[in-house]
Amino acid sequence: MLSGCASDQAVNEKLNDAYKQLESPRPDYAMMMEAADGYLTAQPNGKGTAEALYLRGRAFEEKSRQDSPSPEQDLTQANIAYTQAMGRSPKPGLEGLIHTGIGNVLYFQNRFAPAINELTAGFEKLERDNDKAWALYRIGLCQQRMGQWEFADRTFSSVQQQFAGTDQSTRAAQHLGARAFWVQVGAFAGAAQADATVTELKKLGLTGSKFADPSRPGVQLVRVGPIANYDAALAVKQRVWAKYQGAMIVP
């Protein structure tokens, strides 16, 4: 990505190496942060400032997902870095990534309408199909969480049509046709554990139901629902979180 005089070569190379972390299933956010901050300290007005700020945003975004003690604060810092990167006149491809990064942050903050705006703006400028597929898929998730079920179905169908055979297409298929939310409190290898969980939920005033996991024979899922809207599902998740910290909202 970057080149320069000998005095800056080390920080440039470190930034370039850190960018390779974005291809990893679990990027090293500490390395990304160190490289971005090193570049911004050494070359605050360098040609790669927008790239460094974007990388800093991605580092905070990754940190928020990797067992961070303060994910909300990390998302706020990610948004600050992305916004600063946008102010450095990034090239169109990078601008698309920045819009998508801001959209991701808004999504994780449950701010779905502005997230759609950012993800849509990013989709138009993204250069790689993989990035486009993720942006379109997340737009569908936002629409679903806003209760825009039919719009979400159309978006998920577009993911399948435009990006067939991808992980995003497979995930989109799992969301098609949904019209309500469930809070999945756990997956259990035996019926006894599942039944015990249903009983515990009843003590909390919640009705749990058992479902077979189609991807794992013999595993039973326990879910609370159906729940009409996402805010109500989030409230249920918060009620059970102390006991079931793996609880998640589906679809």
Side-chain angles (χ1 to χ4, degrees):
M1 289 176 54
L2 302 171
S3 60
C5 62
S7 61
D8 296 326
Q9 194 65 34
V11 291
N12 289 347
E13 289 180 356
K14 194 168 187 178
L15 190 67
N16 289 338
D17 288 342
Y19 255 84
K20 297 175 184 177
Q21 284 293 314
L22 298 179
E23 305 301 322
S24 170
R26 190 176 174 87
D28 185 342
Y29 66 80
M31 175 189 176
M32 293 160 61
M33 190 91 65
E34 182 182 356
D37 288 347
Y39 183 92
L40 293 168
T41 298
Q43 304 179 58
N45 297 304
K47 293 182 179 180
T49 302
E51 285 85 353
L53 287 165
Y54 169 72
L55 187 67
R56 192 169 198 272
R58 282 293 300 271
F60 273 113
E61 187 182 331
E62 290 297 333
K63 183 184 176 188
S64 74
R65 303 181 195 181
Q66 296 184 29
D67 304 320
S68 170
S70 54
E72 296 84 2
Q73 183 177 346
D74 292 330
L75 289 171
T76 297
Q77 290 299 317
N79 193 51
I80 290 172
Y82 287 142
T83 302
Q84 290 174 338
M86 192 66 78
R88 293 303 184 109
S89 302
K91 295 179 180 179
L94 181 58
E95 183 181 347
L97 291 171
I98 296 169
H99 275 300
T100 302
I102 295 172
N104 289 341
V105 168
L106 293 169
Y107 168 81
F108 287 115
Q109 292 176 332
N110 295 330
R111 298 164 63 189
F112 303 121
I116 290 175
N117 292 336
E118 292 292 339
L119 291 164
T120 300
F123 182 85
E124 299 300 325
K125 294 180 180 294
L126 291 170
E127 297 174 342
R128 301 190 309 172
D129 282 350
N130 187 58
D131 295 328
K132 285 178 172 287
W134 281 121
L136 192 59
Y137 170 70
R138 188 146 285 158
I139 288 171
L141 293 181
C142 290
Q143 291 168 331
Q144 212 167 53
R145 293 191 172 188
M146 292 171 67
Q148 299 175 353
W149 303 105
E150 293 184 4
F151 284 107
D153 280 352
R154 293 174 198 166
T155 301
F156 290 134
S157 293
S158 294
V159 174
Q160 291 183 295
Q161 293 166 6
Q162 296 181 46
F163 308 102
T166 63
D167 181 34
Q168 297 91 321
S169 177
T170 300
R171 295 190 185 200
Q174 296 169 353
H175 285 265
L176 274 171
R179 292 295 183 271
F181 297 100
W182 298 75
V183 175
Q184 182 170 303
V185 298
F188 305 94
Q193 288 178 298
D195 289 337
T197 301
V198 170
T199 300
E200 288 296 324
L201 290 170
K202 190 174 182 179
K203 294 177 182 178
L204 296 175
L206 300 170
T207 301
S209 301
K210 295 186 298 180
F211 298 86
D213 186 338
S215 65
R216 293 177 291 178
V219 173
Q220 290 192 317
L221 308 174
V222 176
R223 294 175 173 174
V224 176
I227 304 169
N229 62 75
Y230 183 77
D231 287 343
L234 190 60
V236 171
K237 178 184 174 182
Q238 291 169 344
R239 283 184 63 187
V240 303
W241 186 253
K243 188 172 181 63
Y244 302 102
Q245 296 192 4
M248 66 180 72
I249 298 173
V250 294

